[in-house]
Amino acid sequence: MVGPVAKRARVAHLKAVMGLSERRACLIVGADRKMVRYRSRRPPDTELRGRLRELANERRRFGYRRLFILLRREGEPSGINRIHRLYREEGLAVRKRRARRKAIGVRVPILVEARPNARWSLDFVYDQFANGRRFRVLNIVEDVTKECLGAIPDTSISGRRVARELAMIVARRGKPGSIVSDNGTEFTCNAMLAWCKETGIDWHFIAPGKPIQNAFVESFNGRMRDEFLNETLFFDLDDARSKVAVWVADYNGEHLITPENSSISWPSFGEHFKSPETLTAAG
């Protein structure tokens, strides 16, 4: 099906190149003359277009649906179809990452009790400073509410440091029903085993080479990599700590920005989880 814009272009081409009258050109193209003569009376939406471009530049991994929700939170009354039209007219798009090979098989849902603090997940994500020196970030995620309870950047994080960070989170959050992690030496060391015995928290280790068994924190790591790490330059450890804290605070406040769950509000979303100071405590 050919749209009005294409039909107008064809009529204009026939008139300019072939010297046909408008009536004859419309007959050949199959266009109505009223449609060809129509001129849009839509307002230019200059302010809205500018704000849409600003948000798209601030959040380059947000598509038009998530930008629509951000605009709604600012009081913009426009519907999602209008935002989508302006999004396309402005030439905005989320650059697609190259898809990774996916395993073929039956997907089985991971069963987690639907209550806050039912289970936490831990994992490391890696990046480097501008000078090439590598650092790691210990991510601690609440599997039900999807909160980031902690994101601790450092050049080296031992098992004792992991236990200390977990103890501080438990002190303000309460104990989880269980904790899931891989078999890294930071999680299997004597310091962690002693901490688990002291606190009485059940620690579950996933099978080696099966990161899908720790899917919640792996999903968070992917989002952190896509929306933050790949878009940010870090100069030193203090710079990384401050920037990670700001991003995590923003994530905890905005991570429910999707059309399906933008109205969800968990009672466990305390303001202390949105404070950068409580998310990246230095060891």
Side-chain angles (χ1 to χ4, degrees):
M1 178 181 292
V2 181
V5 176
K7 288 185 177 181
R8 291 192 194 101
R10 292 182 180 183
V11 169
H13 175 78
L14 291 176
K15 291 171 63 179
V17 177
M18 306 296 294
L20 300 180
S21 66
E22 181 182 276
R23 184 188 302 274
R24 181 75 172 176
C26 288
L27 183 63
I28 295 174
V29 175
D32 187 272
R33 295 180 68 187
K34 292 182 179 179
M35 181 269 292
V36 172
R37 295 178 179 178
Y38 174 78
R39 295 295 178 266
S40 176
R41 297 181 180 179
R42 285 174 175 167
D45 296 320
T46 305
E47 184 176 349
L48 178 57
R49 290 173 185 268
R51 183 54 183 157
L52 186 62
R53 286 194 302 269
E54 289 177 4
L55 288 175
N57 289 331
E58 292 174 5
R59 302 175 182 270
R60 294 193 287 179
R61 303 306 299 171
F62 276 28
Y64 75 92
R65 293 183 178 88
R66 298 170 78 183
L67 294 177
F68 161 72
I69 295 175
L70 287 177
L71 289 170
R72 272 296 174 90
R73 291 183 176 182
E74 295 179 358
E76 173 58 46
S78 301
I80 190 170
N81 290 335
R82 183 185 185 194
I83 299 300
H84 187 203
R85 175 176 60 81
L86 297 178
Y87 184 85
R88 290 184 301 171
E89 290 177 359
E90 291 300 312
L92 302 174
V94 177
R95 184 169 61 88
K96 293 184 178 180
R97 308 289 190 190
R98 190 173 67 175
R100 295 180 297 177
R101 295 179 60 184
K102 297 181 179 180
I104 301 175
V106 179
R107 292 183 178 269
V108 179
I110 301 175
L111 300 179
V112 180
E113 187 178 356
R115 63 174 179 84
N117 263 16
R119 190 172 76 178
W120 297 356
S121 297
L122 278 70
D123 197 14
F124 288 98
V125 64
Y126 297 83
D127 209 315
Q128 63 182 17
F129 301 123
N131 61 9
R133 186 183 182 188
R134 292 176 61 82
F135 70 95
R136 62 200 323 206
V137 182
L138 171 63
N139 286 328
I140 306 170
V141 176
E142 215 281 10
D143 290 355
V144 177
T145 65
K146 305 300 188 296
E147 296 174 67
C148 176
L149 305 181
I152 300 93
D154 213 328
T155 54
S156 177
I157 300 179
S158 64
R160 292 181 182 273
R161 173 75 180 281
V162 174
R164 190 164 66 248
E165 297 292 345
L166 286 173
M168 289 189 293
I169 296 175
V170 168
R172 69 172 185 265
R173 169 82 180 196
K175 293 198 301 184
S178 62
I179 295 179
V180 180
S181 74
D182 57 24
N183 293 270
T185 55
E186 301 85 359
F187 305 133
T188 59
C189 63
N190 290 332
M192 287 307 307
L193 296 177
W195 183 82
C196 290
K197 183 178 181 180
E198 178 183 346
T199 58
I201 296 176
D202 180 30
W203 196 293
H204 174 71
F205 296 102
I206 65 174
K210 299 290 184 180
I212 191 63
Q213 295 179 3
N214 203 12
F216 292 102
V217 73
E218 291 290 345
S219 175
F220 175 82
N221 288 348
R223 184 166 182 175
M224 187 181 199
R225 171 74 60 191
D226 189 39
E227 297 182 2
F228 174 59
L229 297 178
N230 288 347
E231 306 289 335
T232 309
L233 183 63
F234 304 100
F235 296 99
D236 52 37
L237 187 56
D238 290 337
D239 183 52
R241 283 173 175 164
S242 62
K243 289 178 179 178
V244 168
V246 170
W247 183 84
V248 171
D250 178 74
Y251 169 84
N252 280 341
E254 305 290 346
H255 76 281
L256 293 176
I257 299 180
T258 63
E260 293 77 14
N261 60 9
S262 59
S263 62
I264 294 177
S265 178
W266 287 88
S268 62
F269 276 24
E271 289 299 321
H272 54 284
F273 293 119
K274 299 180 182 180
S275 172
E277 289 77 10
T278 63
L279 291 167
T280 56

